[in-house]
Amino acid sequence: VPASIYDVAKAAGVSAATVSRVLSGARSVRPESAAAVLAAVEQLGYRPNQLGRALRRRSTQAIGMIVPRVDNPFFPSVVQHIEEYLRLQGYALLLCTSNDDPDIEAQRLDMLTERQVDGLLISPCHQTRSLPAVRRAAERIPLVQLDRSVEEETYDFVGVDDAGGIRQLVAHMRSLGRRDIAYVGGDRGNWSGAHRHTAFLAALDGQRPEDHPERVLLASFSELWGREAAEQLLASRTPPDAIVCGNDLIALGVISTAARLGLRVPQDVTVSGYDDISMAVLAQPSLTTVRQPVAELTKQAAELLLSRIDDPGRPPNRLILPTQLIVRGSTSQAHADGPSGGTRVPAPSVEPVSS
Amino acid sequence: VPASIYDVAKAAGVSAATVSRVLSGARSVRPESAAAVLAAVEQLGYRPNQLGRALRRRSTQAIGMIVPRVDNPFFPSVVQHIEEYLRLQGYALLLCTSNDDPDIEAQRLDMLTERQVDGLLISPCHQTRSLPAVRRAAERIPLVQLDRSVEEETYDFVGVDDAGGIRQLVAHMRSLGRRDIAYVGGDRGNWSGAHRHTAFLAALDGQRPEDHPERVLLASFSELWGREAAEQLLASRTPPDAIVCGNDLIALGVISTAARLGLRVPQDVTVSGYDDISMAVLAQPSLTTVRQPVAELTKQAAELLLSRIDDPGRPPNRLILPTQLIVRGSTSQAHADGPSGGTRVPAPSVEPVSS
DNA sequence: GTGAAAGCGCTAACAT
DNA sequence: ATGTTAGCGCTTTCAC
């Protein structure tokens, strides 16, 4: 059995309270007592039991996080930033995946709540179906949504200007002379899927999408779906001359199928993604996309959470960050051989908005 | 303040012990008491505090896991499988990243230990520098290594036959008539980097690597490094006609640079990866690689861990799983247009070995 | 079948 | 500066 704080106290010839004080550096302790305690800790190999500490302190110094998927590189990159930030603030990160399933998500949310995390960070997998569990959790624990939000606007949220990003992409395709623009997106159940799709339809304005329902295909944010959708789109007698994709994974799938069918990207068809995952620059051709400001997104989300932990009563805050168009080889031959970066086009007008 | 088990007890007109029994279904309780308890739970919105429960039970029903990186898709895929498996066994997964830094790794290991996880799953980021922290943790908590191991062979481990995989790749390159085979790998600090590099040198046998030290480049398991290394290798007057890479990310970087330099893959130079991440099949050309049996790897690791939790005293077990060569377009034009799968070549001789 | 009481490991008041 | 005491929320003997 591992040593407890009482074992240390006995070995050091002091009381448990003194050991606690030495270890947490809370109040001043006589140097020789401190030395004795430290020696005893060392000798017994004592490690404090955070369960006991958390139970008493009513704080675990842990933040729970739930992401919808871990096989979409966008989320790992978000996780990496968040973990780094929280670590520096002295918080541990407890990470879970919902696998895009609201039931698993709810289960995870409850689990983290019962384990008394001090705060919750979540990208809900569904706008409506995630709502009950998010609400339950938010009633008890400071909660901040990032990148995706549930329908209700009563919780803290920091996301990006999905609509603006799509608008930039459509305008870019237009400026290249493309007129027949198709869309391959994820499902509308989640925030990103819904907003990007809606924005695409809105951006088409002149060209009525009702005339070409087969030009808008929705299913999931995966490369597999990108391959399938491209099959439908590109094998037709009159393929589109541009395909805007809901994220980078879909776009990579589309490009892969285009190559297989012998179509040249960008000459025969231009293709764009969304997210700017690290793979985007490696693709052949490299991928034109919209970059989400992950560093900013995660920093704001973490700060929002810490501020809410500090003051649980403050009114909810919703931040929308601007995106950046990254032009690369999949839409512009001029960029096909660029060593890596691509041309960055900042968003035209959108400022970070707080409501 | 949230309701405690005593609040529920009072509301239901029973004792806390009875509430506990109802909730854990431990011993039989009179139906009407049970109903009253459940009603009170519902009415008060009671959620058990797992800190109190864990402190008393001396079990958190949580497993801690540490992976070196989360931006190498191989590890997310491992995580996904592990989480699924543990969830079905009633365990929560607490996931951390070491970011390939032994100090952060040690900190995480200590953190998880102090939080009293019931078991630890880890891919150590370094063979020797990870050893002290792994040893400390393993002294207190059941620990299983997966995919990577520390130097010492005294802890449970399930990995893959890295050497066999590399041997398959070199043999494959040879069978294609390639004679000047280069190697671009990760750093030798970690298990995979060391074993794959060693295996490559061994597989060369006839061709003495000392004659061509510039043919073997080691740094990190990233696409960026792949790009840099390919620059050196392919811009030379006498580029190699085959490049074996330490993992898929490196290979994708190499292919990207080859394309930029105007070299054709596989005609001018064949390229292979390792891991078979989902991106491998999407690359242009698709990537010949060695598949790690992730499902089997994770299942064995989880089972090893649960068995050690069950019997902490049992002798350590080390499992090496066979790999599978996946031939695709980056080495064979015949496979360049295959819709996806590639040709699978099972390992020749290696059986799962238990020592 | 159920309640009372003790205690998991820790820290925060309150003394001194 | 330090020890004593109580209690965080829960489960589990041990009686009845």
Side-chain angles (χ1 to χ4, degrees):
Chain A
V1 297
S4 85
I5 200 169
Y6 282 95
D7 301 321
V8 176
K10 186 178 301 176
V14 297
S15 76
T18 298
V19 176
S20 172
R21 290 194 263 258
V22 171
L23 264 30
S24 66
R27 283 208 331 240
S28 56
V29 173
R30 238 190 31 241
E32 30 296 26
S33 316
V37 167
L38 262 14
V41 164
E42 180 67 25
Q43 195 241 316
L44 296 175
Y46 170 75
R47 308 259 64 197
N49 181 330
Q50 301 291 352
L51 257 31
R53 169 193 287 239
L55 189 58
R56 177 63 226 230
R57 281 206 185 158
R58 306 174 145 287
S59 156
T60 51
Q61 294 288 31
I63 300 296
M65 179 165 185
I66 303 180
V67 294
R69 306 207 59 97
V70 77
D71 60 0
N72 175 349
F74 173 73
F75 291 107
S77 115
V78 166
V79 166
Q80 189 146 331
H81 285 256
I82 289 283
E83 187 179 39
E84 170 77 2
Y85 186 93
L86 291 180
R87 189 171 56 81
L88 297 177
Q89 303 290 325
Y91 282 95
L93 180 68
L94 273 32
L95 181 67
C96 300
T97 307
S98 67
N99 210 19
D100 268 327
D101 179 337
D103 295 332
I104 295 182
E105 186 179 64
Q107 191 181 323
R108 285 353 209 154
L109 231 22
D110 288 345
M111 185 273 280
L112 291 169
T113 304
E114 294 180 355
R115 284 174 197 272
Q116 315 296 126
V117 293
D118 292 345
L120 243 13
L121 245 19
I122 182 171
S123 290
C125 64
H126 200 100
Q127 288 191 96
T128 54
R129 302 224 287 136
S130 293
L131 189 50
V134 165
R135 180 180 293 143
R136 258 217 316 279
E139 275 168 13
R140 305 172 155 269
I141 296 182
L143 176 150
V144 170
Q145 305 168 103
L146 80 171
D147 193 59
R148 299 178 177 185
S149 167
V150 293
E151 219 174 28
E152 209 157 278
E153 306 216 330
T154 45
Y155 308 110
D156 283 334
F157 170 58
V158 28
V160 304
D161 183 16
D162 285 282
I166 293 292
R167 248 182 276 121
Q168 286 180 286
L169 288 169
V170 171
H172 173 61
M173 296 295 197
R174 286 259 171 73
S175 77
L176 296 166
R178 306 288 161 156
R179 312 258 83 225
D180 187 1
I181 308 176
Y183 180 77
V184 181
D187 85 288
R188 284 189 53 96
N190 71 69
W191 173 275
S192 307
H195 284 247
R196 292 175 195 171
H197 175 229
T198 300
F200 177 78
L201 296 184
L204 278 193
D205 48 56
Q207 181 191 334
R208 310 240 56 90
E210 304 86 66
D211 300 345
H212 298 282
E214 75 284 4
R215 283 291 186 259
V216 176
L217 270 32
L218 304 180
S220 83
F221 281 122
S222 68
E223 63 266 42
L224 183 60
W225 164 236
R227 290 217 294 274
E228 289 177 18
E231 202 83 45
Q232 291 182 47
L233 246 23
L234 298 176
S236 93
R237 286 180 301 104
T238 57
D241 57 7
I243 302 180
V244 171
C245 301
N247 76 352
D248 287 347
L249 288 181
I250 294 175
L252 292 174
V254 166
I255 287 178
S256 152
T257 290
R260 203 168 59 66
L261 296 177
L263 277 79
R264 295 165 306 159
V265 177
Q267 296 93 326
D268 300 325
V269 57
T270 54
V271 177
S272 68
Y274 205 111
D275 288 347
D276 195 26
I277 62 178
S278 66
M279 215 52 69
V281 69
L282 286 181
Q284 303 296 337
S286 58
L287 189 60
T288 291
T289 191
V290 164
R291 177 175 301 167
Q292 302 209 49
V294 175
E296 187 66 10
L297 185 75
T298 50
K299 180 163 175 290
Q300 296 288 358
E303 284 177 359
L304 231 47
L305 183 59
L306 297 187
S307 94
R308 175 161 295 280
I309 290 174
D310 210 48
D311 172 17
R314 74 150 166 69
N317 219 325
R318 294 179 74 83
L319 257 49
I320 304 295
L321 305 177
T323 54
Q324 193 182 38
L325 177 66
I326 311 281
V327 177
R328 298 205 186 91
S330 69
T331 58
S332 159
Q333 270 195 281
H335 297 80
D337 283 0
S340 65
T343 300
R344 303 175 189 189
V345 184
S349 59
V350 191
E351 285 290 302
V353 174
S354 155
S355 68
Chain B
V1 298
S4 85
I5 200 168
Y6 282 93
D7 301 320
V8 175
K10 187 179 298 177
V14 297
S15 75
T18 298
V19 176
S20 172
R21 292 195 261 258
V22 171
L23 264 32
S24 65
R27 284 212 328 239
S28 59
V29 173
R30 242 192 26 244
E32 5 342 351
S33 315
V37 167
L38 262 13
V41 164
E42 180 67 26
Q43 194 241 316
L44 296 175
Y46 170 75
R47 309 257 65 195
N49 181 329
Q50 300 293 351
L51 257 31
R53 169 193 289 240
L55 189 58
R56 175 63 225 231
R57 281 207 183 154
R58 308 176 146 285
S59 154
T60 52
Q61 294 287 30
I63 300 296
M65 179 165 184
I66 302 180
V67 294
R69 306 207 61 98
V70 76
D71 60 0
N72 175 348
F74 173 73
F75 291 107
S77 115
V78 166
V79 167
Q80 188 147 333
H81 284 256
I82 288 284
E83 187 180 37
E84 169 77 3
Y85 187 93
L86 291 180
R87 189 170 55 80
L88 297 177
Q89 303 290 325
Y91 282 95
L93 181 68
L94 274 32
L95 182 67
C96 299
T97 307
S98 67
N99 210 21
D100 268 327
D101 178 337
D103 295 332
I104 295 183
E105 184 179 66
Q107 190 181 322
R108 286 353 210 154
L109 231 21
D110 288 346
M111 185 273 280
L112 291 169
T113 304
E114 294 181 355
R115 283 173 197 274
Q116 317 294 128
V117 293
D118 292 346
L120 243 15
L121 245 17
I122 182 171
S123 289
C125 63
H126 199 101
Q127 288 190 97
T128 54
R129 303 224 287 138
S130 293
L131 189 50
V134 166
R135 181 181 291 143
R136 258 216 317 278
E139 275 168 12
R140 306 173 153 268
I141 296 183
L143 177 149
V144 170
Q145 305 169 102
L146 79 172
D147 194 58
R148 299 178 177 185
S149 167
V150 293
E151 218 174 30
E152 209 156 279
E153 306 217 330
T154 45
Y155 308 110
D156 283 333
F157 169 58
V158 29
V160 304
D161 183 16
D162 286 280
I166 293 291
R167 249 182 274 123
Q168 287 181 287
L169 288 169
V170 171
H172 173 60
M173 296 296 197
R174 287 259 172 75
S175 78
L176 296 166
R178 306 287 161 158
R179 312 258 84 226
D180 186 2
I181 308 175
Y183 180 77
V184 181
D187 85 288
R188 284 189 53 95
N190 71 69
W191 173 274
S192 306
H195 284 247
R196 292 175 195 171
H197 175 228
T198 300
F200 177 78
L201 296 184
L204 278 192
D205 48 55
Q207 180 190 334
R208 310 239 57 90
E210 303 88 68
D211 300 345
H212 299 281
E214 74 284 3
R215 283 290 187 262
V216 176
L217 270 32
L218 304 181
S220 83
F221 281 121
S222 68
E223 62 265 43
L224 184 60
W225 165 236
R227 292 217 292 274
E228 289 178 20
E231 203 83 45
Q232 291 182 46
L233 246 22
L234 299 177
S236 93
R237 287 180 301 105
T238 56
D241 57 8
I243 303 180
V244 171
C245 301
N247 77 351
D248 287 347
L249 288 180
I250 294 175
L252 292 173
V254 166
I255 287 179
S256 152
T257 290
R260 203 167 61 64
L261 297 177
L263 276 80
R264 294 165 306 159
V265 176
Q267 296 91 328
D268 300 326
V269 57
T270 54
V271 177
S272 69
Y274 206 111
D275 286 349
D276 195 28
I277 63 178
S278 67
M279 215 53 69
V281 70
L282 287 180
Q284 304 296 335
S286 58
L287 190 60
T288 291
T289 190
V290 164
R291 176 175 301 166
Q292 301 209 48
V294 175
E296 187 67 10
L297 186 74
T298 51
K299 181 163 175 290
Q300 296 289 357
E303 284 178 0
L304 230 46
L305 182 59
L306 297 188
S307 95
R308 176 160 295 280
I309 289 173
D310 210 48
D311 172 16
R314 74 148 166 69
N317 219 326
R318 295 179 73 85
L319 256 49
I320 304 294
L321 305 178
T323 54
Q324 192 180 39
L325 177 66
I326 311 281
V327 176
R328 297 205 186 92
S330 69
T331 58
S332 158
Q333 271 196 282
H335 296 81
D337 284 1
S340 64
T343 300
R344 304 176 189 186
V345 183
S349 59
V350 191
E351 284 290 303
V353 174
S354 154
S355 68

